[in-house]
Amino acid sequence: MQNYVIKKEDLNKLVERALDDYDVYAPVQKKSIHVYDQISDPASMDLNYGQTMTSAKKLFNPPVENMMTFDFDKKEIKDRLEDTIPENPSLIVGLHACDINGLLFLDRVYGGEYDDLYYQKRREKTTIIGLNCLESCESGFCRSVNTHIVFEGYDLFLTPIEDERYYVNVGSPKGDRLITLAPDLFEEATEDDVDAFRKSLQKKHESLPVEFHLDNLMETLDMAWDDPIWEEIGEDCMNCGSCALVCPTCYCFDVVDEVGLDLKESTRKRKWDTCLYYDFALVAGNHNFREEPEARLKYRFYHKMRGAVHDQGIIACTGCGRCIDACPAGISFLDVLAQLQKNWASAPTIEGGN
């Protein structure tokens, strides 16, 4: 596909024109944090952000949504699928590579053995403008898990280059359509632009650290099942679920029926759930096969870094670091994995030991 360049100041003009056709979402600063929020003015978006507090997952899989309603008097059941899907197509601006990789993981989960129509409908109606990070954010470790790069899952992908411009990779026909909204803002990339793009990528690879080896993580976890670290961090973990709620790849949910006080109607709702909650593993007979906090926390690590590979072919961690920022007990997903690798890995560690 043809690649382009666009001035940074002209991106706002593109978004301005897109507002006529799309519901537009972008990173917006609220007090000391950034969040993905719907915007009506391009000036309100802030692309100079490190990381948003929550991921873009909520735009495709809301924390709570109504799936169907029941009218007991009329004996009617109504599927609310169409009610939950926005009328207009959506445009997300400024999604980092780690979050695009998070969506690619969710695509496997919600489009694999069982199609999730709620997720699929929103995904189909969304256009994504990705944004390349040339520097590491405060808690991120994306390069350690190879999510600092992305080759699909976006429609346009912007890389900052010299002279306050973006190099634009077109990833899909939806990206081409977006360019047709404002063809006067884009110029075809020249050889000099390609060279500037190459220099930006070089800067990125020099600035993003590798903090643990992904290639021997499986064998590390195989050997570390009884490592004392699980008991140590299990004593600190509050099982509050904050890490799962901000995670771009956590996908577990619960389905509940909420009956009206008049007992004449009911609504079936889907709500986010997490393996860190006590009742997640509660089964018939009041038996809980992960009763202790330590067991639930260890399960989370093993499911994301090992079970997901078995189920989906890739790990369920994008290295965005949100779980580290959100944990009230100060538990670092990165530090735990790095420590386990130092204790157990058979291959050389980052420090060069065994």
Side-chain angles (χ1 to χ4, degrees), residues 70-76 259-260 263-267:
F70 305 89
D71 187 317
F72 300 140
D73 286 342
K74 297 179 180 178
K75 300 186 186 306
E76 285 183 351
V259 181
L263 304 181
K264 292 182 178 180
E265 59 184 16
S266 176
T267 302

Side-chain angles (χ1 to χ4, degrees), residues 188-248:
E188 293 187 5
T190 65
E191 290 187 11
D192 287 342
D193 297 328
V194 173
D195 189 51
F197 175 56
R198 187 182 301 115
K199 290 178 180 175
S200 289
L201 295 183
Q202 184 177 1
K203 175 184 176 183
K204 171 181 179 174
H205 290 293
E206 289 173 352
S207 66
L208 298 182
V210 178
E211 300 182 77
F212 70 91
H213 286 294
L214 188 61
D215 54 1
N216 61 3
L217 185 62
M218 297 300 108
E219 60 189 30
T220 296
L221 291 174
D222 278 349
M223 293 183 285
W225 181 258
D226 295 319
D227 193 287
I229 197 172
W230 303 121
E231 185 175 349
E232 294 169 10
I233 61 174
E235 291 179 355
D236 295 332
C237 179
M238 303 175 184
N239 286 174
C240 64
S242 296
C243 53
L245 298 181
V246 300
C247 177

Side-chain angles (χ1 to χ4, degrees), residues 234 236-242 276-278 292-294 296-297:
D236 295 332
C237 179
M238 303 175 184
N239 286 174
C240 64
S242 296
L276 290 166
Y277 293 159
Y278 175 81
E292 300 300 323
E294 169 194 336
R296 297 196 288 277
L297 182 59

Side-chain angles (χ1 to χ4, degrees), residues 97-111:
C98 60
D99 276 344
I100 295 174
N101 276 294
L103 288 177
L104 291 173
F105 179 84
L106 295 181
D107 288 347
R108 295 180 182 224
V109 174
Y110 293 129

Side-chain angles (χ1 to χ4, degrees), residues 273-324:
D273 201 359
T274 167
C275 54
L276 290 166
Y277 293 159
Y278 175 81
D279 57 1
F280 187 86
L282 191 64
V283 296
N286 206 34
H287 176 68
N288 195 321
F289 48 89
R290 285 192 291 274
E291 190 166 7
E292 300 300 323
E294 169 194 336
R296 297 196 288 277
L297 182 59
K298 183 165 69 172
Y299 174 83
R300 173 173 166 77
F301 274 84
Y302 273 81
H303 182 250
K304 296 190 79 65
M305 306 306 289
R306 203 181 191 301
V309 175
H310 179 269
D311 293 339
Q312 308 298 337
I314 55 176
I315 63 172
C317 176
T318 67
C320 68
R322 290 187 177 94
C323 57
I324 299 172

